[in-house]
Amino acid sequence: LLNSIDERELDARLRSPMHVMQEKFDGKRCLVRVQHGRVDGINRRGFLTGLPQSVLRAAMELPGTPLIDGELVGDVLHAFDLLEVNGADIRGKGYG
């Protein structure tokens, strides 16, 4: 989740190896699940949702069976987290 900081903290955070930042997009939150030869889009309520052909094609080229969290902006998925790999939950692992 996003955390607000004031400007005094910004410079220190930008230089710190202990912090990671990522760009925030104004899109639609979407999980992408690849399993059993198919790709599913999942919305924030947990319901299946359609995905653009570009995302479907790209997801089918991924190795294994990932579950990816991201934001859909038009026909581009901006992935920001890998939640599962080949059925293994990796949410507890560090970013590095």
Side-chain angles (χ1 to χ4, degrees):
L1 296 175
L2 298 174
N3 296 306
S4 296
I5 61 171
D6 63 40
E7 289 186 38
R8 295 182 306 241
E9 296 177 78
L10 180 59
D11 191 53
R13 298 273 177 109
L14 287 172
R15 297 178 191 286
S16 170
M18 299 301 296
H19 293 92
V20 176
M21 296 179 198
Q22 59 191 29
E23 185 174 358
K24 171 72 172 104
F25 295 94
D26 192 20
K28 183 172 69 170
R29 180 83 179 273
C30 185
L31 296 178
V32 175
R33 178 179 59 203
V34 181
Q35 65 179 13
H36 308 298
R38 63 180 275 169
V39 177
D40 293 316
I42 305 168
N43 68 19
R44 67 174 50 242
R45 292 180 169 211
F47 296 115
L48 294 180
T49 186
L51 292 170
Q53 286 295 317
S54 57
V55 173
L56 292 170
R57 282 192 304 272
M60 285 303 294
E61 293 181 22
L62 295 171
T65 58
L67 176 62
I68 301 166
D69 196 355
E71 277 189 78
L72 196 56
V73 180
D75 63 349
V76 175
L77 179 74
H78 297 273
F80 55 75
D81 208 352
L82 179 60
L83 304 174
E84 295 179 9
V85 176
N86 297 330
D89 186 337
I90 62 169
R91 289 171 180 88
K93 298 204 179 281
Y95 182 81

